[in-house]
Structures are given as C-alpha cells and as structure tokens.
Amino acid sequence: MYSQVEHPAGGYKKLFETVEELSSPVTAHVTGRIPTWLRGSLLRCGPGLFEVGAEPFYHLFDGQALLHKFDFKDGHVTYHRRFVRTDAYVRAMTEKRIVITEFGTYAYPDPCKNIFSRFFSYFKGVEVTDNALVNIYPVGEDYYACTETNFITKINPETLETIKQVDLCKYVSVNGATAHPHVENDGTVYNIGNCFGKNFALAYNIIRIPPLQADKEDPMNRSEVVVQFPCSDRFKPSYVHSFGLTSNYIVFVETPVKINLLKFLSSWSLWGANYMDCFESNETMGVWLHVAEKKKGRLLNIKYRTSAFNLFHHINTYEDNGFLIVDLCTWKGFEFVYNYLYLANLRANWDEVKQQAEKAPQPEARRYVLPLTIDKADTGKNLVTLPYTTATATLRSDETIWLEPEVIFSGPRHAFEFPQINYKKYGGKPYTYTYGLGLNHFVPDRLCKLNVKTKETWVWQELDSYPSEPIFVPHPDALEEDDGVVLSVVVSPGTGPKPAYLLVLNARDMSEVARAEVEVNIPVTFHGLFKRV
C-alpha cells in the first residue's frame, strides 16, 4: 500500500502557490464517463492566497480561504472558485498588507498609526482571525465555511458568494469550535469547543444545533450546550480538532498538545506572537479519553488513559456489546505535528522534505476499545471480550483503565489521513471501509481504501500527481457499504498540459471511472462535502 514513490521533481510545491479566483464557472474536459446519477456539487476549502503584496504567510493554515466547487450534471462538469470575503481577506485587500494575525503569521501593527493609537489598540486585545479555510458544513438550510475560531462564515453554495460572518460566542458559551462537527441525518449538528467552566477552570463544551423547525427560524438561535468535559489542566486546554459520536455516546480524546492560555491572552501585539507560539506539549500526561451519554448529557466516571499521541481526525466510532470502538488517525508522541507544517518545510526540495519528516511524530491508524461498564473485581485484567480485535483495556489498581490499540494501518512515514467513510449510513455505526489520503513524508501522493476488519488496502496512485481528501458519494440505490464513487481534486503539474483535475474512482476497487480536467492550477484543499441536487 505504501509503495515508496519519490518526488524529486518537487511538483507538490504547486499545492502552495497563489491562484486567482474565477469570475464565472469554467467547463472541465471529461475523459471516461461520469455516472449520470452523480448530480450535485463537490465543495472544498483551502488556502488560495499565500502572500499579500511582499508579505508572506508562513504556515499551511494561514493562506486566505478559497472556496472551490465542482458541479456535476448529466455527465458534464464545471469548476468554480471564489475567495471567501472574510474580515481577514477584505482588510488585507484594502490595506495591501496582512492585517489580522493568522495561525503561524503575525500581523504587524499598522505602520501609519502613531504610538498613541497603537497603545490604545493594545487594550482591545487580540483580533481573532475569521479565515475560513478548513471546512464547510450545513446548518439547517444554510452552509458555513469555517476555521477553528469563534467566527464562521455563511456562504452561498451555488454562487460561492460570502453572505455574512457569524460569531458563535453570541449563541453558545465557547471560545471556538472545531471544523469537524458531526451532522446527523435529521440535520442536528454537534460540535466541541474550549470554554471557561466553573471557577474559571478550563473545560470543553459539546454544543448541539437542532435541525430546521417548521417556523423556519435560524437553528443557530436554538443552539445549546449539552455536556461539559473537564480539562486535565485547569489553565491549559488541549488542542481539539475532532471528536467521536454514536447514537448514545460522545467521545472526546484529550491529547498532550496544550494551549498556554496566559500566552494566548497576553496581548500579542507586544511581543509579535501568533497562534502557533501558544502551543506547548505536556510530556507526562499521555492521552486521556472521556465519554459522555449523548441524550442525558452525563459524563461517564471512567478514566481512560493511554500513551501520548497527536490526533486530528477520528475515522469512526461505534458501540458493540458494552464497548465503544474508537478508530483514529494518530501521530505518535507529544510533539505537535503542526510544527512540521510551515510552508518553508512543505515547499522544500524532496530530500529536505524527507529529512524533516524523519524527525516528526510517526503516523498510525489505530483502533481503541473502551469498556462502558467496570467491575472493580476485574483489577489487573483486560476487559475487552470482543472476538475481532487485539485492542486491550486493562483496569489498574488506581481505577484508571489503560488502553492499548489495535493497529489498523501503519507504514514508515506513510500516513493514512483525512479519513472519510460512508457517513450517512455508517457514521457512528459498525462499518467496514474507510477512504483516506496517503501522505508520503507529508506529501499527499495517493488515495487509499482500507478494510478496517481485514486491513486489506486498495490504492490509487499516479506519478507526479497530488490528490486531496477523498469524498465518498454513495450510489442512490446502493445496497453495499462501498457502492458508490470517491471524488478527489488532483494537482498534476508534471503530466501534460492540464494542471489539475477532478478524479472519480469506483469506491469498490479504487479504479478510475473518469476525470474532469481544468486549465488552471488548484492549490491544496483540506476538507469539504458533496451536496446532492
């Protein structure tokens, strides 16, 4: 599955090049046959502007948000893209400089301001970015582009126009929310964010946004906090990127990557800091897992512990006979993986890229099994009795449960990441297949399908081609879990005249069904969704 493909030509650098938006959609050139049942839009988010004038952005998560759309109708495909008109983007365009500090880039104070107005703007504190470059999700009949702060941006999924900025703080008690909410089939949205809990201690709130009601009122107005998870360190919350959800349970994995709040709240303008400067690792805590009952909003008083890893993406979570199965894309150790995602690293020559990745935490897809009922008589024993997994959960004398995983995918410096599943039918339920983006020393160079039961893999890979997160779209009359197609945006700088294309694969065996080529480069995209017509 991880054939050692090399990238000496450095074509991956094209993923991090500024592009212009389009004034109207362009027709893509189709080879193969797009299935006629595939009707709708693939919406994707990522950075599209990597510098403002002479000022560069430094980190992968700093470039200004560009919204992409591939439309499918009757076997034809069009491509459109627009920059999201966030405050960060509009002010940068107006002032021709970076105005708002991004994840890894500090925005210098306005050189035109005198010392007094600078002094007063210091008291306003940090202006938090609204650069919505990570994902798109539906709330009721609306669509929002998002990053991980309290600001999300309502967009028009047809025209890609920006409608308005929305501040989550006005609706619920969170300082921010992840770009990976769970959206249930009835339209209910669950998300998690850091918050200030009791006595100023830090905590994590699970928020619930109900589906659209008959009165057509904006569901955001009915958002509520359903449960609060405690923080392992009252002053330093962990970085949280996603969480697990089943019909009855919420799973929160608390990793050793911590946000130093004192650094975060002290005015950055004094010492030229950005978000990345506020992260630190707790080298002794390992990982804590927390479980809550979804409907009652009640925490389970069980202390799950395991050794240190970074976590960005949950693959899936499901219940089985008194256990929770939690499948994760992990990176081993407590050092923050984002330290390796500066653009200077990602744009380096191939040998240098490989050298950097050798030092970084190593990726591994893992299955953890959490017992939901505990009997003290079982101290010292492995509580996992499921026949199909080698994962263990051992009750220790201090009443913690020590977890050891079953490895579901591992290859040296090869990650199975950006996982997707047949979410509508199998999200939160027992499942067999996941689709992922294969990262080769952080360079995305293949698409993978993984059978989580047998660990069998299928791969799509082409020389000098750099795909993105695979989105699974089920056949409308599907009977099998993997009956459908997988969509991915591929950048192919070295292969012929067309710089990028949308790839359609048969989800059964990852064979090519069709591709729709465009005449423009498409920079890296992170996440997105398929919106059926």
Side-chain angles (χ1 to χ4, degrees):
M1 134 118 198
Y2 45 89
S3 54
Q4 191 60 60
V5 171
E6 302 283 332
H7 301 283
Y12 51 81
K13 297 175 191 181
K14 277 281 188 204
L15 292 166
F16 317 112
E17 272 183 20
T18 291
V19 294
E20 291 186 350
E21 63 180 14
L22 296 171
S23 52
S24 58
V26 295
T27 304
H29 173 71
V30 175
T31 52
R33 289 187 70 171
I34 307 275
T36 46
W37 58 261
L38 189 64
R39 289 183 67 115
S41 311
L42 176 69
L43 295 164
R44 307 273 310 153
C45 254
L49 180 76
F50 293 89
E51 61 286 307
V52 179
E55 298 181 17
F57 289 111
Y58 293 107
H59 200 273
L60 176 60
F61 303 134
D62 294 349
Q64 297 301 288
L66 184 60
L67 208 50
H68 308 256
K69 176 173 70 115
F70 282 92
D71 267 333
F72 300 84
K73 191 180 176 190
D74 304 328
H76 298 286
V77 182
T78 60
Y79 170 63
H80 194 30
R81 65 179 176 216
R82 298 291 304 273
F83 281 103
V84 185
R85 266 48 176 187
T86 59
D87 281 359
Y89 177 81
V90 170
R91 290 170 66 181
M93 292 299 102
T94 308
E95 299 191 32
K96 300 191 172 38
R97 64 185 187 91
I98 296 170
V99 180
I100 293 188
T101 292
E102 297 291 356
F103 198 72
T105 303
Y106 170 66
Y108 285 92
D110 186 347
C112 308
K113 280 187 176 174
N114 64 30
I115 188 76
F116 289 109
S117 52
R118 270 197 221 176
F119 184 69
F120 285 112
S121 64
Y122 158 65
F123 285 109
K124 283 206 303 245
V126 177
E127 280 197 281
V128 172
T129 181
D130 63 342
N131 181 24
L133 80 162
V134 186
N135 204 356
I136 306 156
Y137 60 92
V139 175
E141 291 174 343
D142 301 321
Y143 283 80
Y144 290 89
C146 66
T147 174
E148 299 182 319
T149 65
N150 53 299
F151 295 117
I152 60 177
T153 306
K154 190 167 161 181
I155 57 112
N156 180 327
E158 306 304 319
T159 64
L160 305 187
E161 284 168 318
T162 302
I163 298 169
K164 64 170 182 177
Q165 181 199 74
V166 171
D167 182 355
L168 292 168
C169 295
K170 296 208 164 92
Y171 300 94
V172 274
S173 164
V174 285
N175 303 329
T178 76
H180 291 286
H182 280 279
V183 182
E184 298 189 318
N185 288 338
D186 69 353
T188 306
V189 177
Y190 284 87
N191 208 342
I192 187 169
N194 297 122
C195 67
F196 291 105
K198 295 180 185 68
N199 321 323
F200 269 118
L202 266 288
Y204 311 89
N205 276 344
I206 294 281
I207 56 180
R208 178 180 176 273
I209 309 170
L212 194 66
Q213 310 291 306
D215 63 10
K216 294 284 188 195
E217 197 200 334
D218 184 354
M220 296 292 285
N221 294 325
R222 295 191 165 112
S223 329
E224 54 176 357
V225 172
V226 287
V227 64
Q228 186 168 93
F229 289 108
C231 187
S232 61
D233 176 333
R234 56 175 299 175
F235 295 117
K236 292 177 182 173
S238 290
Y239 174 67
V240 51
H241 191 92
S242 65
F243 64 104
L245 191 73
T246 69
S247 322
N248 299 298
Y249 296 97
I250 301 165
V251 178
F252 165 50
V253 180
E254 193 175 17
T255 72
V257 175
K258 293 287 184 180
I259 300 160
N260 182 326
L261 240 103
L262 296 174
K263 278 188 186 172
F264 191 82
L265 297 174
S266 69
S267 179
W268 299 352
S269 53
L270 277 185
W271 52 290
N274 56 52
Y275 297 78
M276 275 297 289
D277 297 319
C278 301
F279 289 103
E280 58 190 46
S281 294
N282 180 319
E283 304 190 1
T284 54
M285 73 172 275
V287 166
W288 299 17
L289 292 90
H290 308 266
V291 176
E293 291 179 10
K294 185 168 104 178
K295 296 182 177 83
K296 293 181 185 150
R298 196 174 63 104
L299 291 174
L300 292 198
N301 187 22
I302 305 178
K303 298 179 168 68
Y304 304 99
R305 302 287 183 266
T306 189
S307 47
F309 58 74
N310 284 223
L311 169 67
F312 307 105
H313 302 123
H314 279 248
I315 302 172
N316 199 12
T317 315
Y318 66 89
E319 306 161 27
D320 187 0
N321 280 306
F323 296 93
L324 278 176
I325 287 77
V326 181
D327 291 351
L328 309 172
C329 294
T330 68
W331 298 78
K332 300 177 217 177
F334 49 71
E335 192 198 354
F336 196 20
V337 170
Y338 288 5
N339 293 342
Y340 293 87
L341 302 182
Y342 282 94
L343 291 166
N345 286 2
L346 299 172
R347 288 169 171 151
N349 291 329
W350 178 236
D351 287 337
E352 231 169 300
V353 164
K354 282 199 293 192
Q355 248 175 329
Q356 283 293 324
E358 299 284 336
K359 302 180 208 160
Q362 292 308 305
E364 194 162 77
R366 294 175 170 180
R367 165 164 290 182
Y368 286 91
V369 177
L370 284 54
L372 293 166
T373 48
I374 308 304
D375 183 344
K376 281 188 189 152
D378 289 330
T379 303
K381 292 188 186 140
N382 169 26
L383 308 180
V384 180
T385 52
L386 298 174
Y388 56 80
T389 180
T390 55
T392 62
T394 308
L395 181 58
R396 300 196 292 191
S397 51
D398 62 359
E399 293 186 22
T400 59
I401 293 185
W402 184 261
L403 305 174
E404 287 293 343
E406 172 185 354
V407 175
I408 51 181
F409 177 79
S410 189
R413 256 80 52 204
H414 280 69
F416 179 94
E417 257 291 353
F418 296 86
Q420 289 287 322
I421 60 168
N422 182 340
Y423 183 83
K424 251 189 160 43
K425 265 199 172 156
Y426 295 85
K429 300 185 178 75
Y431 75 116
T432 306
Y433 302 110
T434 173
Y435 307 87
L437 179 63
L439 304 181
N440 173 359
H441 298 77
F442 295 117
V443 171
D445 70 357
R446 63 201 186 289
L447 296 167
C448 324
K449 175 185 182 179
L450 171 65
N451 179 324
V452 295
K453 295 175 176 166
T454 65
K455 307 188 179 55
E456 185 182 357
T457 57
W458 297 258
V459 176
W460 177 91
Q461 185 166 40
E462 220 167 76
L463 216 54
D464 293 322
S465 299
Y466 304 99
S468 66
E469 170 190 62
I471 300 281
F472 174 81
V473 184
H475 189 286
D477 311 315
L479 298 173
E480 304 290 328
E481 179 181 342
D482 58 352
D483 189 359
V485 295
V486 168
L487 306 179
S488 178
V489 180
V490 184
V491 175
S492 52
T495 51
K498 304 274 198 279
Y501 57 92
L502 188 285
L503 178 67
V504 183
L505 300 179
N506 182 338
R508 280 268 156 89
D509 58 4
M510 300 297 274
S511 62
E512 182 171 335
V513 174
R515 59 179 67 185
E517 299 175 310
V518 293
E519 306 276 354
V520 288
N521 182 37
I522 301 179
V524 63
T525 55
F526 299 130
H527 300 290
L529 54 83
F530 186 79
K531 178 179 174 286
R532 282 191 189 275
V533 171

